[in-house]
Amino acid sequence: MTDRAMQEPTLLLLTALADEPRHGYALAREVEAISGGRVKMRTGTLYGALERLLQQGLIEVHKEEVVDSRLRRTYTLTAPGRAALATEAERIAATAREATRRLGVSGKAATT
């Protein structure tokens, strides 16, 4: 990974895999849940992102099984994927802390 911020789909997929392996449909549902319904990954976007994450070594296939005559792959984070997610989580947390600090310094609530 580079030093630049992760794109949101990558962040959401890695987060969805942080606690347990999941297959594609379960990942799509988990991404939607994590984002509060804001992000709904379409099939092409989901599998394209998974393929890219596989190539980058951030995830790997945990197992493959045939379900209803179709191959189902279950994915899991790799050690580099876990490290990249931890780094991104800290970057986001640091930015949030700074935003909170600056909001507190002004002493005024934003009005819109």
Side-chain angles (χ1 to χ4, degrees), residues 80-96:
R82 191 165 292 282
L85 180 59
T87 298
E88 184 66 3
E90 180 50 39
R91 186 194 66 76
I92 292 167
T95 301

Side-chain angles (χ1 to χ4, degrees), residues 8-108:
E8 188 174 31
T10 299
L11 174 63
L12 291 169
L13 284 169
L14 295 181
T15 300
L17 288 169
D19 58 345
E20 66 183 65
R22 289 188 166 84
H23 58 80
Y25 181 69
L27 278 168
R29 288 191 326 224
E30 194 67 15
V31 163
E32 189 172 348
I34 291 167
S35 70
R38 190 176 47 78
V39 176
K40 296 177 181 167
M41 294 191 85
R42 295 183 180 194
T43 303
T45 302
L46 172 66
Y47 287 101
L50 289 172
E51 186 60 35
R52 181 178 46 78
L53 294 172
L54 282 166
Q55 290 173 357
Q56 291 174 341
L58 299 178
I59 66 171
E60 64 188 8
V61 174
H62 178 70
K63 72 176 180 177
E64 293 180 325
E65 60 187 336
V66 176
V67 178
D68 296 329
S69 301
R70 297 183 70 186
L71 181 64
R72 176 187 283 175
R73 282 185 171 175
T74 302
Y75 302 90
T76 191
L77 281 181
T78 60
R82 191 165 292 282
L85 180 59
T87 298
E88 184 66 3
E90 180 50 39
R91 186 194 66 76
I92 292 167
T95 301
R97 284 190 301 271
E98 182 61 15
T100 301
R101 185 190 71 76
R102 289 177 183 222
L103 285 169
V105 168
S106 72
K108 297 180 187 177

